[in-house]
């Protein structure tokens, strides 16, 4: 009996609980104020989302137009670098806008943003301290690309590293030296850069000449040797300027030659100038040697001819002297015969 009463009571309580839950659900469903708040919150969230997309789109267009106005420069003529700068700036804008949008949406759900922002600030500070070098490399790389300090293919020197730029990234720059070594340099370590590819170079060549050689003849020989060098080597932009004597000693004097050449082509231009002068000096030496040999040959021929003429004269004298000698012998023999008869 008691069990039956307990079961009836339990069933009644379950029915009452179900009725209360039903009433609660009905009241929640029919709560017009709540639904109005939900509607307005949803509209505000949608408006925030749309405004965020519009802002991102407008900033994207501004970035594209700003970079396109600089297409005449060396930087923006490089598609990869243009893409790198544009995408980096767009990613930063997207991150900031989305972060602000998320914060505004959370505020619509009555979240307390102060602890969240404080935690994000502490986390960002910790990451910043832990990745100082990485942040420095990225920021420096961004400004290297944006300011067009150097481009792929340029020959640069930073510190003790010199080579041709193969790759420019946001974190590192890769150089290829003339002897084949590849240098990978963090952008944060690039403080001073010497770019050899921005303007025309000046090739300077010093030619040592023996003191015995005439200055006027030497200058004329060098000037003649360098004629047409612009056609033989496209790196030389103009006819070299023979500056004159740079230094002088008791045994030799040095002639300095300067020529304007293409960027990063100084070594090639200097080699061409030296080759031309060396060939001219070799030809001049061969010509002088040939002239000396010719003079020696002519002198030898003249001496041989003189000896031959002398021999002919001596022979002629001997021939002319022979009859007189015979007559004198006959006269002496006659005189000796006469003396014997007496």
């Amino acid at each position: 009996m008691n069990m039956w009463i307990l079961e009836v009571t339990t069933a009644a309580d379950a029915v009452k609980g179900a009725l209360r839950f039903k009433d609660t659900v009905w009241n929640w469903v029919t709560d017009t104020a709540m639904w109005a708040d939900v509607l307005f919150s949803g509209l505000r969230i949608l408006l925030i989302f749309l405004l965020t997309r519009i802002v991102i789109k407008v900033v994207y267009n501004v970035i594209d137009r700003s970079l396109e106005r600089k297409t005449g420069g060396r930087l923006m003529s490089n598609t990869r670098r243009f893409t790198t700068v544009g995408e980096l700036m767009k990613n930063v804008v997207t991150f900031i806008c989305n972060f602000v949008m998320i914060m505004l949406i959370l505020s619509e759900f009555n979240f307390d943003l102060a602890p969240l922002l404080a935690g994000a600030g502490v986390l960002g500070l910790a990451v910043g301290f832990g990745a100082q070098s990485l942040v420095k490399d990225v920021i420096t790389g961004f400004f290297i690309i944006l300011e067009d300090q150097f481009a792929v293919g340029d020959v640069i020197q930073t510190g003790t590293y010199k080579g041709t730029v193969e790759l420019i990234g946001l974190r590192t720059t890769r150089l290829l030296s003339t002897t084949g070594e590849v240098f990978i340099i963090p952008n944060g370590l690039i403080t001073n850069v010497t770019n050899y590819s921005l303007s025309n170079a000046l090739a300077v060549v010093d030619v040592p000449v023996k003191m015995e050689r005439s200055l006027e003849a030497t200058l004329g020989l060098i000037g003649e040797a360098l004629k047409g060098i612009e056609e033989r080597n496209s790196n030389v932009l103009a006819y070299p300027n023979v500056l004159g004597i740079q230094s002088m000693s008791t045994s030799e004097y040095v002639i300095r030659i300067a020529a304007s050449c293409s960027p990063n082509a100084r070594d090639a231009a200097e080699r061409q100038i030296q080759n031309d002068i060396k060939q001219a000096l070799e030809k001049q030496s061969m010509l002088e040697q040939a002239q000396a040999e010719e003079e020696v040959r002519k002198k030898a021929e003249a001496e041989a001819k003189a000896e031959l003429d002398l021999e002919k004269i001596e022979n002629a004298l001997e021939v002319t002297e022979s009859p007189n000698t015979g007559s004198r012998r006959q006269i002496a023999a006659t005189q000796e015969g006469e003396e014997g008869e007496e």
Side-chain angles (χ1 to χ4, degrees), residues 54-248:
I54 292 173
V55 169
I56 292 175
K57 185 68 175 178
V58 170
V59 175
Y60 276 17
N61 291 333
V62 171
I63 292 173
D64 290 338
R65 292 180 181 180
S66 298
L67 296 178
E68 286 174 1
R69 280 198 295 267
K70 300 179 182 179
T71 52
R74 288 175 351 111
L75 164 64
M76 296 311 161
S77 62
N78 191 317
T79 305
R80 293 181 60 187
R81 302 186 71 182
F82 175 83
T83 303
T84 301
V85 173
E87 290 301 322
L88 177 63
M89 298 177 70
K90 289 177 181 179
N91 290 337
V92 172
V93 170
T94 302
F95 175 79
I96 294 175
C97 291
N98 287 334
F99 180 77
V100 173
M101 180 189 70
I102 292 173
M103 293 296 103
L104 293 176
I105 290 175
L106 290 177
S107 67
E108 291 295 328
F109 291 100
N110 297 323
F111 277 91
D112 189 4
L113 299 181
L116 184 60
L117 292 176
V122 172
L123 179 61
L125 188 62
V127 172
F129 275 113
Q132 291 183 56
S133 60
L134 177 61
V135 174
K136 182 180 179 181
D137 293 341
V138 172
I139 294 176
T140 305
F142 173 77
F143 281 104
I144 287 174
I145 297 174
L146 185 63
E147 296 174 359
D148 192 22
Q149 297 179 11
F150 50 85
V152 174
D154 289 353
V155 177
I156 68 169
Q157 181 172 356
T158 172
T160 58
Y161 303 106
K162 181 179 179 181
T164 303
V165 180
E166 282 194 330
L167 176 67
I168 303 175
L170 287 176
R171 196 181 68 83
T172 60
T173 296
R174 190 168 67 197
L175 302 181
L176 177 63
S177 70
T178 55
T179 53
E181 295 87 356
V182 177
F183 304 121
I184 300 176
I185 308 171
N187 291 331
L189 298 180
I190 301 177
T191 55
N192 298 313
V193 177
T194 302
N195 195 329
Y196 296 93
S197 302
L198 288 180
S199 60
N200 292 338
L202 184 66
V204 179
V205 175
D206 290 336
V207 181
V209 184
K210 292 182 178 180
M211 189 62 72
E212 292 78 11
R213 285 186 174 273
S214 168
L215 175 61
E216 184 177 357
T218 301
L219 294 178
L221 177 65
I222 292 175
E224 187 68 24
L226 296 179
K227 285 184 178 180
I229 190 173
E230 308 98 315
E231 299 176 357
R232 293 191 296 273
N233 193 323
S234 60
N235 293 318
V236 181
L237 303 179
Y239 180 79
N241 184 16
V242 182
L243 302 178
I245 296 179
Q246 178 65 21
S247 62
M248 187 169 56

Side-chain angles (χ1 to χ4, degrees), residues 27-38:
N27 291 333
W28 179 75
V29 171
T30 57
D31 188 355
T32 56
M34 185 271 295
W35 284 113
D37 292 339
V38 171

Side-chain angles (χ1 to χ4, degrees), residues 8-25:
V8 171
T9 303
T10 303
D13 292 339
V15 172
K16 289 180 181 180
L19 291 175
R20 283 196 300 270
F21 177 76
K22 179 181 178 182
D23 293 338
T24 302
V25 172

